[in-house]
Amino acid sequence: MSVQTEGTDTAGQPAVRKARVPAPRGEDRAPAPSARRGGAAPYLLLLPALLATLVLLGWPLVKNGMLSFQNLNPRQLIQHLTEWNGVGNYKEVLTGSDFWHVVERSVVFTAANVVLIMGLGTLVGLLLARLGRKMRLTLLLGLVLAWAMPVIAATTVYQWLFAQRFGVVNWVLDKAGWHSMADYNWFGSQFSTFSVITLLIVWQSIPFVAINLYAATTTIPRELYEAASLDGAGAWKSFTSVTFPFLRPFLYATTFLEVIWVFKAFPQIFALNEGGPDHLTETLPIYAFVEGVGNQHFGVGAAISFLTILVLLAITSYYLRMVLKQEEDEL
């Protein structure tokens, strides 16, 4: 609504101007239907992914949770019986010493692998940023091929490499002068088996970290390096004052992903030695499979797998809390 008021223009003649008066609240225009549809569009696009997640992940998780409260063995499967035993499976697992030994082993194994992966992957990523175009392309091609190799295929290759009688590694060590390694059994002890598994997992993980960090280095403005060099900064000072602050968010995110990936590693460990010798290389995923499917204690296996998820959530939440606290301190 508007009212007209008289005024005087620059020529001295009366002029009429319109003054805008706010309309009453009841007369505000409602949002256009197209605007409402545009606001709902992102949620509609996310709906298929959400439904797929609920069907493929949510429902199996619910079924596994229900199974963990049941006494399900071959007898119950054959007779189609459902025997609920409450928290009996969890009590059996948590009161046993084997579970806590496996938890400790899994945490140490994950920490060692993640430290090696992030350290070596960061070095390779920084090397990619320094190389010329042809050498960078060659190294990237090798990294991508290693990353794209199927897990079981890579594990089989490592089995051949470290075989006791006809393995390439033992042959090379024998020719190099270590004759005692000619028939060494790499899968006969806990330490040597974990060494081979760690080498395999680190080899498979370095390409992801290196390529990710190399991509991050391309976002750093070159003017910052020029300014640092004018201030007399050397290579190490340029890295700590320019490169590392830019790479820090990528390092946090990549470390978080690697913790999850290494902790839930299953095919490498199981295909190499099935958690042996004497169950000494079993991590939580292997332990859950052996108890559930191997020993046919399906309810106990479901309880272990559920506890594995809780342990992984505890580790990742602690890591995220530490990262957020550090970022707050920097601000």
Side-chain angles (χ1 to χ4, degrees):
M1 184 176 65
S2 61
V3 296
Q4 295 182 350
T5 59
E6 288 190 357
T8 303
D9 61 8
T10 56
Q13 298 296 328
V16 177
R17 68 175 183 269
K18 294 183 178 181
R20 300 294 299 175
V21 178
R25 282 186 84 81
E27 297 181 11
D28 289 345
R29 287 186 178 181
S34 60
R36 290 197 298 268
R37 287 195 297 269
Y43 301 99
L44 294 176
L45 293 174
L46 288 174
L47 188 59
L50 181 61
L51 291 176
T53 302
L54 291 176
V55 172
L56 299 177
L57 295 178
W59 179 243
L61 189 62
V62 172
K63 292 291 290 183
N64 185 79
M66 296 172 59
L67 183 61
S68 66
F69 294 102
Q70 299 176 21
N71 181 27
L72 185 60
N73 295 318
R75 182 177 68 86
Q76 287 78 12
L77 282 175
I78 295 173
Q79 298 180 1
H80 300 283
L81 297 176
T82 301
E83 296 182 4
W84 298 92
N85 62 348
V87 296
N89 293 330
Y90 290 96
K91 184 177 180 180
E92 178 182 348
V93 172
L94 294 174
T95 54
S97 60
D98 291 342
F99 175 76
W100 297 109
H101 288 318
V102 175
V103 170
E104 181 183 3
R105 186 185 305 139
S106 302
V107 173
V108 174
F109 172 75
T110 301
N113 277 269
V114 171
V115 169
L116 290 173
I117 290 168
M118 294 305 301
L120 297 176
T122 301
L123 293 177
V124 175
L126 295 175
L127 176 63
L128 284 170
R130 294 273 184 170
L131 290 176
R133 183 176 181 181
K134 292 183 179 179
M135 288 301 298
R136 182 188 301 124
L137 182 61
T138 303
L139 182 55
L140 280 172
L141 181 61
L143 291 172
V144 170
L145 290 176
W147 191 19
M149 191 172 185
V151 176
I152 296 299
T155 305
T156 304
V157 170
Y158 269 71
Q159 283 180 316
W160 293 342
L161 289 174
F162 290 91
Q164 182 175 1
R165 293 189 60 188
F166 304 107
V168 176
V169 175
N170 286 352
W171 180 82
V172 171
L173 292 175
D174 181 35
K175 294 299 182 182
W178 286 283
H179 302 295
S180 61
M181 302 295 294
D183 294 318
Y184 183 74
N185 183 12
W186 288 92
F187 306 109
S189 65
Q190 181 187 35
F191 180 78
S192 59
T193 303
F194 264 136
S195 299
V196 177
I197 295 171
T198 299
L199 183 62
L200 172 59
I201 291 178
V202 170
W203 175 77
Q204 289 180 313
S205 304
I206 283 178
F208 173 74
V209 177
I211 295 173
N212 191 17
L213 293 182
Y214 165 67
T217 59
T218 60
T219 64
I220 304 175
R222 294 298 172 188
E223 294 80 4
L224 296 179
Y225 289 108
E226 294 175 0
S229 63
L230 291 175
D231 291 339
W236 177 250
K237 186 64 176 179
S238 296
F239 174 78
T240 56
S241 60
V242 178
T243 306
F244 184 72
F246 271 88
L247 294 183
R248 187 182 291 115
F250 296 92
L251 289 171
Y252 287 157
T254 308
T255 303
F256 175 72
L257 295 176
E258 288 299 328
V259 167
I260 296 175
W261 194 80
V262 173
F263 188 86
K264 65 183 184 67
F266 177 86
Q268 298 94 330
I269 303 173
F270 190 80
L272 274 177
N273 206 20
E274 298 183 3
D278 298 328
H279 306 282
L280 292 177
T281 59
E282 284 183 354
T283 57
L284 278 172
I286 304 296
Y287 182 57
F289 179 82
V290 170
E291 289 295 325
V293 179
N295 297 334
Q296 296 186 341
H297 298 157
F298 301 105
V300 175
I304 296 172
S305 63
F306 221 81
L307 291 172
T308 301
I309 297 173
L310 295 180
V311 172
L312 182 57
L313 289 176
I315 294 174
T316 53
S317 62
Y318 173 78
Y319 172 76
L320 289 176
R321 181 181 178 184
M322 181 179 64
V323 170
L324 294 176
K325 185 177 183 301
Q326 186 173 355
E327 290 182 349
E328 290 176 358
D329 293 341
E330 291 175 357
L331 294 176

